[in-house]
Amino acid sequence: MTTSAHPSPSSDPAPSRPIALITGVGRSIGIGAGIARRLAASGWDIAFTYWTPYDRRMEWGVEAGAAEAIAKELAEAGARTAAIEADLTDPDAPARIFDEAEQRLGGPVTALVLSHAESVDSGLLDTTVEAFDRHFAVNSRASWLLIREYGLRFRGAPGSTAAGPEPRTATGRIVALTSDHTVGNLPYGASKGALDRITLAAAHELAHLGVTANVVNPGPVDTGWMTDDLRESLIRGTPLGRLGTPRDTAHLVDFLCSPEGQWVNGQLLKSNGGAAA
């Protein structure tokens, strides 16, 4: 696991902004990077993870220097940042990621955004056991371990779960990105379905901590993986006549992480321009 940190312009070493940990921020055009930019602009410090060997296996390849460039961009928006390269097939990685984020940014994580994914297309008949297990290790098991680690460490703001005449305030946030892919994408879709259940369970099991948990389905977002034919087909099937962008997803995640978003909890939200309508 490798790290890099970019301090904010502030000379005060103590964190004055809440900390968000975002997984899957390996490419500048990706959804994770879009979310990181939006949260940084909204006043969050950002720890993020990436895994270069995954990009190397995919058709888009490795974007050289992406983690450093993204961290620099977030720092220019006023955020303290920590870029953490982590292999999420390793069950010990989640605890190390939280340790690194807390050490680098000097405080606890308030929001956990899960935007990482293992996604290699295959169907019922041609999926290998190795591919099936790897998808579930990254998309399901690692997400559970990250959420569990978050729940073990989160303490919330004073009074966030206090009983009394005033409404309880939820200060912690978990947001997971999912997909409804199934046909021809079996291990990805099945492991994302498991992720949904894990995250929605957290909305209830971590409620006593003052934590909300939601799942967001971003719909069709072209971050470099679509063929021309697929892109045109998806555009025709979307009432707004376009594909989604990382910025579209980021605006929703930003709201869910804001104080105004605390009443939205335990939901699977579709942010897809009406593509499923």
Side-chain angles (χ1 to χ4, degrees), residues 66 76 156 216 221 258:
E76 290 171 351
V216 171
V221 178
S258 73

Side-chain angles (χ1 to χ4, degrees), residues 104-130:
R104 295 281 180 174
L105 299 181
V109 171
T110 299
L112 172 63
V113 181
L114 303 174
S115 64
H116 66 274
E118 170 76 20
S119 179
V120 179
D121 293 353
S122 61
L124 279 167
L125 300 182
D126 60 340
T127 295
T128 66
V129 171
E130 179 188 10

Side-chain angles (χ1 to χ4, degrees), residues 3-8 71 75 80-83 100 104-105:
T3 64
S4 62
H6 294 256
S8 73
R80 293 161 51 91
T81 71
E100 196 70 42
R104 295 281 180 174
L105 299 181

Side-chain angles (χ1 to χ4, degrees), residues 85-150:
E85 183 162 24
D87 178 5
L88 291 177
T89 65
D90 180 357
D92 294 327
R96 292 200 300 266
I97 290 167
F98 272 87
D99 286 343
E100 196 70 42
E102 292 172 355
Q103 176 186 355
R104 295 281 180 174
L105 299 181
V109 171
T110 299
L112 172 63
V113 181
L114 303 174
S115 64
H116 66 274
E118 170 76 20
S119 179
V120 179
D121 293 353
S122 61
L124 279 167
L125 300 182
D126 60 340
T127 295
T128 66
V129 171
E130 179 188 10
F132 189 90
D133 288 348
R134 185 168 59 247
H135 279 78
F136 272 83
V138 174
N139 298 341
S140 305
R141 186 183 68 191
S143 298
W144 158 56
L145 291 172
L146 285 159
I147 290 173
R148 185 179 72 171
E149 196 67 30
Y150 175 87

